[in-house]
Amino acid sequence: MFTEADAVRIATDAHEGQVDRAGKPYIGHPLRVMAALDDAPARMAAVLHDVIEDTHVTADDLRAAGCPAEVVTAVVALSKGDGEAQTDYLARVAANPLAKRVKLADIADNCSPARMAVLDDATRERLTAKYAAARAFLGA
């Protein structure tokens, strides 16, 4: 049976060597998003939410590892494709209730004062507007 620990292991391995804008290990972000949610499917999707988009891990890899179908579907919905319009991406996220919950937790972490403090003014303003528009699109 696939567990939250399995999801954490996959995400940790996949994000190995990646750092965030502050130079800290990237895995901290998915772990914080995971901690903000309270049920196993959401927590699994949260910790895995960037693996397809930002690492070598594929949806097939997650399925082969035994990841529940609803979690894989949410992670796929949360994975923005190269060149994909933001509105198309957000529409897909909004259509999947599990993905939507994870995305809102993802945005909340991305907008945290600690994460925003390390950004230059222009980037902070751009991302603040982007995340506000995403929250509005998702009905938050």
Side-chain angles (χ1 to χ4, degrees):
M1 177 177 182
F2 193 87
T3 66
E4 289 179 32
D6 295 320
V8 169
R9 179 187 46 76
I10 290 169
T12 300
D13 290 347
H15 291 297
E16 179 71 30
Q18 293 179 344
V19 294
D20 64 16
R21 288 184 168 111
K24 295 181 181 175
Y26 187 79
I27 191 62
H29 168 63
L31 290 171
R32 287 189 304 274
V33 176
M34 179 185 187
L37 297 160
D38 59 5
D39 62 278
R43 290 171 56 81
M44 287 182 213
V47 78
L48 295 168
H49 81 272
D50 281 334
V51 297
I52 292 175
E53 184 176 330
D54 294 338
T55 78
H56 65 279
V57 174
T58 67
D60 287 339
D61 293 334
L62 295 177
R63 287 184 198 95
C67 189
E70 72 175 315
V71 173
V72 176
T73 300
V75 173
V76 168
L78 289 158
S79 302
K80 190 170 186 279
D82 289 336
E84 182 177 17
Q86 182 76 352
T87 53
D88 293 342
Y89 164 68
L90 290 173
R92 185 176 61 250
V93 170
N96 181 304
L98 179 55
K100 180 178 174 179
R101 288 179 53 220
V102 171
K103 185 62 182 175
L104 291 171
D106 174 41
I107 292 169
D109 186 67
N110 283 330
C111 291
S112 71
R115 289 197 72 163
M116 287 296 201
V118 301
L119 304 175
D120 61 78
D121 291 342
T123 301
R124 184 173 30 259
E125 289 175 21
R126 179 181 57 81
L127 291 178
T128 297
K130 174 186 171 183
Y131 295 139
R135 286 180 47 82
F137 189 100
L138 295 172

